[in-house]
Amino acid sequence: MFPKDFLFGASMSGFQVEMGYGKSDVDPNTDWFVWVREPENLINGVVSGHLPEYGAGYWYNFPTIHKLAADFGMNVLRTNVEWSRIFPKPTFDVPVKVVQDESGIKSVQIDEKTLRSLDELSNKEAVEHYREIFSDMRKRGLKVFLNLTHFTLPIWLHDPIAVHKRQETEKLGWATERSIVEFAKFAAYVVWKFDDLIDMYSTMNEPNIVSQMGYVMSVSGFPPARFEPEMFFKSLLNQIVAHARAYDVMKALTKKPIGLIYSASVYESIDKDEELEQSATNFMNYMFLDALTSGMLLFQTREDLAGRLDFLGINYYTRTVIQKIAPMQLGVATIDWMICPGYGHSCQPGGFSKDGRPVSDFGWETYPEGLLKLLRAMNDRYGLTMYVTENGVADGRDWLRPYHLVGHMYAVERAIEEGVKVKGYLHWSIIDNFEWAKGYHMRFGLAETDYQAKSYSPRPSMYIFREIVKDSSTEKFKYYLRSPYEIWRTKT
């Protein structure tokens, strides 16, 4: 059984859902807005050719989506404010005191004068409109889980085309330390303006994905698509420090819990090599989070980073199957494993993995027992309150989603019964939206989006979600675990 105070809901991202009605809701001031229309990316098929301004239309149609959430039993929604909407122009000239030594930025000090200076630069209409959105959530009994940044950066902070083409620019995004200071300003301002409407905060969504896709997996379609291990580590480190500095300035203004949302996977080797699995897990799952819990960061200990998480948001979609290779150097790290095709994220779309498990339209293997393994491991290592902040499946026909949904919610239920501190499950997503480089091809919604009509029709799986919430249990759907797709096999 799920406890009475458990949070059932869905997650969204501003850039992915907000636009859709025309010029009045378009935000052209992000790196992603520029990136998806760059001719090189279009010609080479790096991006879909779809444009976010023809999207789901949440900016004006938010009451309809909030009502849909409440009608189907949700009590929380996660979304983010778009940094570029709040500050379409640079905030560099707003002075703050920065304490820094040879190891990095130790503190950013923001006072009332700073906040008022930021207020003069802000887009007041956007601020007030976000307040309307959050107020409507609360009016419908939905808790407001506010994330600060979800992949996008203001174009004044990150010029992805210049970085990709190796042109001279100061707009390096997370690969430059000034992003730390500007993010702290943004974080403090958001709390100052919205705290009376917010129940909980996360600073970032999947910072590890931003670095990996941007600077290592350079054919992924994520900006700036530049293979540069040094910039990978710089951007990762700067996001760690940016979270810590944002946490500090936010805590001075609010008593609400502040966490971070991390994309995690279960690493399993093709030949059951436990040492190899641990090596991959340490690098991919733990390195970032260790810094914000114990202060351990690569080859140093930084007390100014430790204890900066009130909770941990876990985004889980599938496992990662790996095999041993000859060691290779990736910046300061040595990697001795590679991903095996045919499993996890590396499958042929719409069929079955090499293990005979059903695969989504995205080519992602359904592996719900991995979520249980992951929650156990994160609980053992960190002991933090956790929320499953994203879990879902690209499935335009809704043929797999019912089984996928039950399997993963069952994993959460089992984790809770074992004493793991999981306090919420937020599905990705409530409606279909703009899936980054894949555009509108991938359908993750519990409800189907009609992009022309800006309407949202619940799929059959959404009714299953509502029944699980009503019963506070997956019990009546447990037969889905083995029929017909055998999605839950291993003894865990």
Side-chain angles (χ1 to χ4, degrees):
M1 293 286 289
F2 294 100
K4 288 184 178 179
D5 61 350
F6 193 78
L7 296 182
F8 292 100
S11 289
M12 300 178 289
S13 143
F15 183 83
Q16 292 177 267
V17 297
E18 285 178 351
M19 292 178 267
Y21 276 102
K23 290 183 179 180
S24 57
D25 66 4
V26 171
D27 174 16
N29 299 309
T30 75
D31 51 358
W32 268 94
F33 191 89
V34 172
W35 183 253
V36 297
R37 59 209 335 116
E38 167 65 16
E40 179 186 336
N41 292 335
L42 293 166
I43 290 169
N44 289 293
V46 173
V47 296
S48 65
H50 297 158
L51 299 176
E53 57 264 43
Y54 301 107
Y58 177 74
W59 190 250
Y60 292 123
N61 213 14
F62 64 85
T64 304
I65 296 171
H66 295 171
K67 183 178 185 300
L68 182 68
D71 287 349
F72 277 82
M74 296 183 185
N75 55 17
V76 63
L77 283 176
R78 171 174 77 93
T79 189
N80 69 288
V81 285
E82 284 293 306
W83 190 349
S84 53
R85 284 195 190 272
I86 301 295
F87 293 111
K89 296 180 180 179
T91 52
F92 300 131
D93 292 338
V94 175
V96 292
K97 183 177 180 181
V98 178
V99 177
Q100 186 170 8
D101 62 18
E102 67 281 354
S103 65
I105 294 174
K106 295 301 186 76
S107 75
V108 180
Q109 298 174 17
I110 295 177
D111 56 20
E112 184 77 13
K113 182 180 178 182
T114 303
L115 293 168
R116 296 198 178 282
S117 296
L118 289 168
D119 201 36
E120 292 176 7
L121 286 176
S122 69
N123 180 340
K124 303 295 193 305
E125 290 184 7
V127 170
E128 287 307 310
H129 194 78
Y130 276 124
R131 286 192 62 84
E132 289 177 27
I133 290 173
F134 304 146
S135 296
D136 189 75
M137 283 190 197
R138 294 176 72 92
K139 182 179 72 175
R140 298 176 192 278
L142 298 167
K143 288 187 181 295
V144 184
F145 186 152
L146 185 61
N147 184 48
L148 298 188
T149 181
H150 190 130
F151 293 172
T152 57
L153 288 175
I155 194 67
W156 49 262
L157 192 61
H158 185 216
D159 183 343
I161 310 304
V163 177
H164 172 72
K165 294 182 177 180
R166 301 174 184 268
Q167 297 170 349
E168 192 69 31
T169 180
E170 294 182 347
K171 299 176 182 179
L172 295 172
W174 290 115
T176 175
E177 277 194 324
R178 71 175 179 172
S179 62
I180 298 169
V181 178
E182 300 314 308
F183 185 65
K185 294 176 189 176
F186 171 60
Y189 183 81
V190 167
V191 174
W192 190 57
K193 279 295 181 180
F194 301 118
D195 194 52
D196 59 313
L197 299 173
I198 308 304
D199 294 284
M200 56 198 303
Y201 296 94
S202 56
T203 55
M204 303 169 178
N205 178 80
E206 301 186 345
N208 52 323
I209 295 298
V210 172
S211 296
Q212 290 165 24
M213 298 297 199
Y215 298 106
V216 178
M217 303 176 75
S218 54
V219 296
S220 66
F222 273 57
R226 174 173 165 178
F227 184 77
E228 194 78 54
E230 183 180 348
M231 294 182 81
F232 162 73
F233 279 103
K234 277 185 179 179
S235 67
L236 206 62
L237 171 61
N238 287 339
Q239 287 182 93
I240 290 170
V241 178
H243 165 86
R245 300 294 73 88
Y247 180 95
D248 291 344
V249 299
M250 293 168 76
K251 277 296 181 183
L253 297 165
T254 183
K255 295 180 179 180
K256 310 288 176 60
I258 302 167
L260 178 132
I261 295 167
Y262 196 83
S263 176
S265 185
V266 172
Y267 292 85
E268 300 179 345
S269 74
I270 199 74
D271 54 359
K272 312 298 183 186
D273 184 337
E274 293 183 7
E275 185 177 339
L276 190 71
E277 292 171 358
Q278 194 59 52
S279 173
T281 300
N282 288 342
F283 182 67
M284 300 298 288
N285 281 355
Y286 297 152
M287 181 179 68
F288 193 105
L289 299 174
D290 282 358
L292 297 173
T293 50
S294 66
M296 294 297 296
L297 178 60
L298 296 175
F299 312 113
Q300 59 180 319
T301 301
R302 286 187 54 172
E303 295 299 329
D304 65 297
L305 304 179
R308 261 67 176 190
L309 288 176
D310 297 337
F311 68 86
L312 179 58
I314 296 291
N315 292 356
Y316 172 83
Y317 288 93
T318 188
R319 64 175 168 173
T320 305
V321 176
I322 59 175
Q323 63 186 23
K324 196 170 185 64
I325 60 170
M328 62 178 178
Q329 204 66 27
L330 183 70
V332 297
T334 301
I335 306 296
D336 61 351
W337 53 272
M338 65 173 289
I339 296 171
C340 297
Y343 306 92
H345 290 97
S346 304
C347 301
Q348 289 297 313
F352 291 85
S353 70
K354 287 183 178 179
D355 204 19
R357 298 172 186 272
V359 172
S360 75
D361 297 345
F362 219 141
W364 297 356
E365 180 186 30
T366 296
Y367 191 69
E369 57 265 52
L371 178 55
L372 178 57
K373 294 177 183 178
L374 182 63
L375 292 172
R376 287 170 174 165
M378 290 293 189
N379 184 70
D380 290 346
R381 191 172 186 92
Y382 300 116
L384 290 165
T385 294
M386 288 183 288
Y387 299 87
V388 176
T389 39
E390 283 185 28
N391 172 248
V393 60
D395 178 21
R397 296 171 290 168
D398 208 46
W399 67 279
L400 176 55
R401 188 176 292 104
Y403 304 93
H404 188 282
L405 179 68
V406 173
H408 289 85
M409 293 188 79
Y410 170 71
V412 176
E413 190 175 12
R414 275 194 59 178
I416 292 167
E417 290 168 353
E418 293 178 8
V420 176
K421 294 187 289 187
V422 190
K423 300 296 185 182
Y425 173 88
L426 284 72
H427 193 77
W428 184 272
S429 179
I430 185 171
I431 61 171
D432 297 327
N433 55 39
F434 185 83
E435 186 52 41
W436 305 109
K438 297 293 184 181
Y440 303 114
H441 291 306
M442 297 300 146
R443 298 275 185 156
F444 277 91
L446 288 169
E448 181 178 2
T449 299
D450 183 326
Y451 290 103
Q452 294 294 322
K454 312 303 175 195
S455 62
Y456 322 100
S457 303
R459 293 185 166 107
S461 52
M462 196 167 194
Y463 291 89
I464 294 172
F465 179 91
R466 186 170 66 180
E467 287 298 303
I468 292 172
V469 173
K470 186 175 70 174
D471 295 346
S472 291
S473 175
T474 60
E475 183 65 34
K476 72 170 61 169
F477 297 105
K478 279 186 179 177
Y479 66 93
Y480 276 36
L481 301 181
R482 293 195 174 275
S483 172
Y485 300 112
E486 293 283 328
I487 65 165
W488 190 288
R489 300 183 198 167
T490 61
K491 294 179 180 180
T492 50

